[in-house]
Amino acid sequence: MTRRKLRPMRALRRSPFVPPATFPVPAARRSRLLGTTSVQPVSVRPSGGLEVVPASPSSTMTPPSAAVPAGWESGTMTTDSHPQPDKADVAILVVDDDPRNLFAVRETLEDLGAQLVLARSGEEALKHLLRQDFALILLDVHMPGMDGYETAELIRLREKSRHIPIIFLTAINKDETHIFRGYASGAVDYMFKPVDPQILKSKVAVFVDLYRKTEEVKREVEAKQRLLDENERVRREMRQAEQALRRSEERQALILGQLPIVLYTADLSPGIPFRYLSDTTETVLGCAAARFIEDPQFWESRLHPDDRSRVLRQLASIHDTGLTTVEYRWRGPDGGERHLLDQAVVVRDENGEAAELFGTIMDVTETRQAQQQLAHAQKMEMVGQLTGGIAHDFNNMLMVVIGSLERLVPGLADDPKAAKRAEMALQAALRCSDMTRRLLTFARRQQLHPEPVDLGVLVAGMGELMERTLGGGVAIAIEAPPADAEPLWIASVDRSQAESALLNLVINARDAMPGGGTLRISTANTRFGEPQAGHGMSVPAGDYVLLSVSDSGCGMPPDVLERAFEPFFTTKETGKGTGLGLAMIHGFVKQSGGLIGIDSTPGAGTTFRLYLPRAALETGHGPAADEDRADEALAGRGETVLVVDDDADVRSVATQAVAALGYRVLEADGAEAALTLLDRQPVDLLFTDIVMPGGLNGRELAREGLRRHPSLRVLFASGYANGTTAPEPEAGASTDAAADPGAVLGAVLSRAETLSKPYRGGDLARALRHALDLQSPLAPAEVVRG
């Protein structure tokens, strides 16, 4: 049957719900929802149900206003729900276009403790479904506009409302077709009006109870799920915390394993025996942790004797202080001595009583060694500053002594005794000069003067001196290169420093052979195909001259060999060695651009190998050749030399020495006087001291003299170790004198030779001649004078 066929039947009177007959029905009832009073006559139906009787029998479609509660006819009141307890947890949606039926249902179901939501159309019902959930829907079939079937179908189409049970209520469509359609629309029951209130109430109560139990189950499930989720969250956080803790412990273990630190706990009983030591014990102390725990006296027995009483006394005071820090020396199983820093604190129990000792032991051996090396370096610096400070005055005095004795000796040829005494004084002064140079070499402040030197000739010339130094218990063997070998190359070294280095090696060899032995000295050519390094030195590939010194003495153990070149380190008894000999050799070879090698075996002797750079121009000359040239080739030719020195005695000796060589001499006691003389008369060469008090120093004087007189040659002299370095050419200076004469002053001064005081006559003669003959002036003298 279609909707169109059913519409005529809507004109039939509908039977509304009324309260049960067992309850008294007052003639006048006040609506609790609307706050109005309605009076309806009632009668008992034969079937046992109640029916609201209309006030006028002729009114069949719309009940009279007196029979319906006030306000139920208006559309503004139909969506309101009946007031329910504040804690109502179930909502029932009642949909009926007849307000009397809504009123009756409300009165019937109000005792269920549910919230009753009333709607007079399908549209209003759908609006309520959008706002809340319901345990049950009581849906009238025939309603104007959208009927119950259409409303049910729309409810079932919506995901959130399709689960709500629907009970259809109808007074007309009672055939099987309509019943089937109702169930097909999603209804769970199909009831006919008039409905027995008790039956309706029972059925609704079942769904209300089911809804409540379902909600309770949902709440329990949700609570369980929340507990499970919380439990999972806690477990996850615990796993993450455990992983973070494990990673932190691994990092800490890795860091502690790399640090020279031992963690320990110890008992506070006398002797403070260890309870626990970390895994780094063997790395730091050289013994397993079990060794210290099993033998409580082991740690104390390895303390350095000089530190034992102090350490034990300080640890015993920890009962009063609560903490302590002590540093001591500890001897490991290998015999090596380690510097340990022990920091400990008392750990107290819950009662405040001292329970145990917790501490750390740190190996600070390398730190102390570095501090000692720094102290040694500072000592070297102090010695260098001291020697540099006194070098000037000391060398000036030696200059006066040596210069005077050199000129005195030839005049005593008729008095052999006086001549011998003068020669002895001269040699003593020269030894003092060598001593100053050695101190400066040790401090690495002595300016070296490399020159071509035949090391074979140098060794042979020192043979007699070395024999006297060694004494009768040691035999010396100077080994010459084989006859068929290539001639020995010429080395580029400072002659006096090479002699001093060789003499130091000979003295060390003598001390290493107290019972006698053999000392072998040899020279050879060596070529390095690739760069070499060792003992803090590095040299490029190239040609070198080897000077080897071997002894058959006691040799050196590895730990001594490692410190052989360390300043102030010596294995000799106090007062028999300064520990500077090998340090001076190391400084000399390194400054010369060479390399040192050592081979030493305890009980089998030691071999020192000095690799010195080969000279680029191999034209060696010995002392004899120098003396021959000094007479003629090195003599002056009437050139004018201006001698500048602030010390009158030194200036006088220098002036006499220069004049004796055949030069015309002028003298000045400072820079101002020298510049005045340079401006008044022509001067070929300026021979000036570098360090002079007040005004311009020697370098500044030379620069100003060259600026005024470009043809001037320059020769420096200095008694200061750090004053012998000639100025470097200025960066970017042009070498074109015609373009800018002042721009190449630095280049000219950098080529100027420097004589270290005290110098001898032969050294002065060579330096003067070299400066005059080989030094290029900024402009020819003829041009300047013309």
Side-chain angles (χ1 to χ4, degrees):
M1 182 180 294
T2 64
R3 180 181 180 85
R4 183 173 297 174
K5 292 178 181 181
L6 293 173
R7 282 178 180 174
M9 299 180 67
R10 290 185 178 178
L12 297 178
R13 178 181 174 83
R14 297 184 179 181
S15 300
F17 294 108
V18 294
T22 56
F23 292 91
V25 181
R29 170 170 288 176
R30 182 176 180 84
S31 173
R32 286 178 291 177
L33 176 64
L34 301 175
T36 59
T37 303
S38 62
V39 179
Q40 300 185 35
V42 297
S43 63
V44 180
R45 294 176 57 85
S47 60
L50 296 178
E51 182 177 9
V52 178
V53 179
S56 175
S58 61
S59 179
T60 59
M61 295 301 295
T62 305
S65 58
V68 180
W72 283 67
E73 291 289 343
S74 65
T76 60
M77 306 302 292
T78 58
T79 59
D80 293 338
S81 60
H82 185 68
Q84 301 296 329
D86 294 338
K87 297 184 179 180
D89 57 347
V90 180
I92 301 174
L93 178 61
V94 183
V95 187
D96 199 308
D97 63 313
D98 191 334
R100 295 172 299 173
N101 292 337
L102 294 176
F103 178 79
V105 171
R106 186 191 69 181
E107 295 297 323
T108 302
L109 302 179
E110 65 180 353
D111 294 336
L112 296 179
Q115 179 187 8
L116 297 177
V117 179
L118 309 180
R120 292 187 59 182
S121 65
E123 291 82 354
E124 292 181 7
L126 294 176
K127 291 179 181 179
H128 284 295
L129 287 169
L130 292 175
R131 290 194 293 265
Q132 69 182 104
D133 192 19
F134 295 93
L136 179 66
I137 301 175
L138 298 178
L139 183 59
D140 187 20
V141 174
H142 290 281
M143 292 181 296
M146 184 186 298
D147 62 11
Y149 298 128
E150 294 173 342
T151 303
E153 290 174 355
L154 292 175
I155 292 173
R156 289 291 179 260
L157 289 175
R158 186 168 176 267
E159 182 67 27
K160 292 186 177 181
S161 61
R162 65 190 311 171
H163 67 283
I164 303 175
I166 299 175
I167 297 179
F168 276 119
L169 303 175
T170 181
I172 300 174
N173 301 321
K174 300 181 179 181
D175 54 68
E176 294 182 355
T177 303
H178 287 86
I179 295 173
F180 177 78
R181 185 181 179 188
Y183 283 111
S185 299
V188 298
D189 201 353
Y190 201 93
M191 301 181 67
F192 303 104
K193 301 176 183 178
V195 178
D196 189 298
Q198 289 291 52
I199 295 176
L200 178 62
K201 186 175 182 180
S202 298
K203 288 186 176 183
V204 172
V206 170
F207 286 103
V208 169
D209 186 60
L210 178 61
Y211 181 83
R212 285 174 173 163
K213 292 187 179 198
T214 302
E215 290 300 313
E216 180 66 24
V217 171
K218 287 182 180 178
R219 287 191 294 271
E220 291 179 359
V221 171
E222 290 176 355
K224 290 181 180 179
Q225 186 62 42
R226 285 195 298 271
L227 289 176
L228 291 174
D229 293 343
E230 182 67 15
N231 185 39
E232 179 62 26
R233 183 187 65 80
V234 172
R235 292 177 59 186
R236 183 171 60 254
E237 291 179 355
M238 288 181 61
R239 287 196 300 270
Q240 293 174 352
E242 290 174 355
Q243 293 174 357
L245 178 61
R246 185 165 56 253
R247 288 193 296 268
S248 177
E249 290 175 348
E250 290 174 353
R251 286 195 297 268
Q252 291 178 3
L254 181 61
I255 293 173
L256 290 176
Q258 299 300 320
L259 294 176
I261 297 177
V262 175
L263 303 178
Y264 72 86
T265 60
D267 195 352
L268 286 170
S269 60
I272 309 183
F274 290 100
R275 293 180 178 178
Y276 161 81
L277 293 99
S278 61
D279 296 336
T280 56
T281 303
E282 188 167 0
T283 303
V284 176
L285 301 179
C287 300
R291 181 72 180 275
F292 294 87
I293 298 175
E294 294 171 357
D295 185 3
Q297 302 299 324
F298 177 70
W299 170 79
E300 182 180 339
S301 65
R302 309 299 295 183
L303 288 174
H304 193 281
D306 296 341
D307 299 339
R308 182 179 292 111
S309 60
R310 173 180 59 85
V311 173
L312 296 179
R313 184 172 59 255
Q314 190 165 346
L315 288 176
S317 66
I318 198 171
H319 294 273
D320 302 325
T321 61
L323 55 87
T324 186
T325 299
V326 58
E327 184 174 341
Y328 51 85
R329 290 165 291 178
W330 195 81
R331 291 175 293 123
D334 57 355
E337 188 176 278
R338 307 188 183 196
H339 289 260
L340 303 179
L341 179 64
D342 196 332
Q343 296 176 303
V345 62
V346 174
V347 179
R348 302 184 182 277
D349 57 18
E350 59 275 9
N351 298 323
E353 299 294 334
E356 63 179 349
L357 196 67
F358 177 79
T360 61
I361 298 176
M362 179 184 297
D363 187 352
V364 294
T365 304
E366 294 183 359
T367 302
R368 295 298 173 262
Q369 290 176 350
Q371 291 175 347
Q372 291 176 359
Q373 292 175 358
L374 177 61
H376 291 160
Q378 291 174 341
K379 289 180 181 178
M380 291 175 60
E381 182 68 19
M382 292 176 63
V383 171
Q385 293 177 356
L386 178 62
T387 54
I390 66 175
H392 185 266
D393 294 336
F394 188 66
N395 286 332
N396 278 345
M397 290 185 287
L398 288 176
M399 183 70 235
V400 175
V401 173
I402 292 174
S404 300
L405 290 174
E406 278 190 325
R407 284 182 295 278
L408 181 61
V409 169
L412 299 176
D414 297 336
D415 189 349
K417 291 183 179 181
K420 183 177 181 180
R421 292 170 182 167
E423 183 64 28
M424 292 172 60
L426 177 60
Q427 294 301 322
L430 292 175
R431 285 196 295 273
C432 290
S433 176
D434 290 339
M435 184 183 302
T436 303
R437 287 193 178 94
R438 290 174 186 175
L439 287 174
L440 294 176
T441 301
F442 153 69
R444 299 181 185 178
R445 291 173 172 267
Q446 173 64 39
Q447 177 69 23
L448 299 181
H449 299 282
E451 57 180 306
V453 176
D454 188 330
L455 292 182
V457 175
L458 184 144
V459 172
M462 294 182 63
E464 182 179 354
L465 176 61
M466 289 187 292
E467 288 180 356
R468 292 199 305 267
T469 301
L470 292 172
V474 178
I476 182 172
I478 299 177
E479 301 176 352
D484 57 347
E486 181 183 7
L488 186 66
W489 296 333
I490 302 300
S492 177
V493 294
D494 186 302
R495 177 184 297 276
S496 62
Q497 296 302 320
E499 292 175 349
S500 177
L502 178 58
L503 187 59
N504 269 316
L505 290 177
V506 170
I507 294 173
N508 278 349
R510 179 199 64 189
D511 295 339
M513 300 181 289
T518 302
L519 175 66
R520 299 182 181 277
I521 303 176
S522 62
T523 54
N525 298 331
T526 301
R527 177 170 288 128
F528 292 146
E530 58 186 14
Q532 303 291 323
H535 300 288
M537 308 179 192
S538 60
V539 296
D543 296 339
Y544 296 85
V545 182
L546 169 63
L547 174 61
S548 176
V549 178
S550 302
D551 63 68
S552 58
C554 59
M556 291 183 286
D559 57 329
V560 175
L561 186 61
E562 291 180 359
R563 305 178 62 185
F565 297 110
E566 182 179 328
F568 302 103
F569 173 74
T570 179
T571 58
K572 300 176 184 178
E573 298 177 4
T574 303
K576 293 187 177 181
T578 62
L580 300 179
L582 293 181
M584 289 189 289
I585 297 173
H586 183 276
F588 156 67
V589 175
K590 186 173 184 178
Q591 282 185 285
S592 300
L595 187 70
I596 291 181
I598 308 176
D599 292 326
S600 184
T601 303
T606 303
T607 299
F608 284 90
R609 301 185 306 277
L610 275 58
Y611 298 93
L612 300 172
R614 179 182 181 182
L617 181 62
E618 300 185 357
T619 55
H621 58 275
D626 291 339
E627 292 176 1
D628 294 339
R629 293 184 57 195
D631 295 336
E632 298 179 1
L634 301 181
R637 301 164 190 169
E639 297 94 336
T640 301
V641 177
L642 174 57
V643 179
V644 183
D645 199 301
D646 60 293
D647 190 304
D649 293 335
V650 175
R651 187 173 66 252
S652 175
V653 171
T655 300
Q656 295 176 17
V658 173
L661 293 173
Y663 297 98
R664 178 174 175 264
V665 182
L666 300 175
E667 60 179 299
D669 60 358
E672 293 183 2
L675 291 175
T676 301
L677 289 174
L678 287 174
D679 294 339
R680 288 180 179 178
Q681 53 185 306
V683 174
D684 296 294
L685 185 141
L686 173 65
F687 180 33
T688 177
D689 188 19
I690 292 180
V691 179
M692 294 183 293
L696 302 178
N697 59 34
R699 291 175 181 170
E700 294 168 343
L701 169 62
R703 183 180 294 274
E704 181 62 21
L706 283 171
R707 190 186 66 79
R708 298 184 185 184
H709 307 282
S711 64
L712 187 66
R713 275 82 164 180
V714 178
L715 175 63
F716 292 110
S718 178
Y720 272 111
N722 58 359
T724 57
T725 303
E728 297 292 336
E730 296 179 355
S734 172
T735 56
D736 188 357
D740 185 7
V744 292
L745 295 179
V748 174
L749 293 177
S750 66
R751 295 191 297 269
E753 189 173 352
T754 303
L755 277 175
S756 296
K757 298 178 182 179
Y759 49 82
R760 303 193 65 179
D763 299 329
L764 176 61
R766 286 195 303 273
L768 290 171
R769 196 71 264 161
H770 183 274
L772 289 168
D773 294 344
L774 302 181
Q775 193 176 120
S776 300
L778 294 178
E782 293 78 5
V783 175
V784 176
R785 294 172 183 176

